[in-house]
Amino acid sequence: YSSRGGQTENPYGIGRFDVGGSSSGSGSAIAANFAVAAVGTETSGSILSPSRQNSIVGIKPTVGLISRSGIIPLSHTQ
């Protein structure tokens, strides 16, 4: 589920494969070649799970090293 709104799908099998956690929109977009990089927030597997499910590489950003502008987190406290 996208925190901005709407259900995301896995481009390798729409309706067949799961997309992962809260950064699934970012993961699906990268897997579908809509962009070369995306930023997600890590809240208990929110980057790792979509990376695994969409067969892409996920890197957890260090808090404070990149801007949070435009990011809609699943949880403001994590």
Side-chain angles (χ1 to χ4, degrees), residues 17-43:
F17 301 112
D18 190 20
V19 289
S22 67
S23 295
S24 60
S26 301
S28 295
I30 299 304
N33 292 319
F34 291 149
V36 295
V39 176
T41 57
E42 180 60 43
T43 50

Side-chain angles (χ1 to χ4, degrees), residues 42-67:
E42 180 60 43
T43 50
S44 187
S46 297
I47 291 176
L48 298 177
S49 180
S51 298
R52 181 182 67 249
Q53 296 292 345
N54 290 287
S55 300
I56 59 174
V57 173
I59 300 170
K60 295 181 190 181
T62 301
V63 175
L65 289 183
I66 61 171
S67 172

Side-chain angles (χ1 to χ4, degrees), residues 3 6 8-9 30 38 43 50 58 67 69 77:
S3 58
T8 58
E9 298 284 350
I30 299 304
T43 50
S67 172
S69 177
T77 59

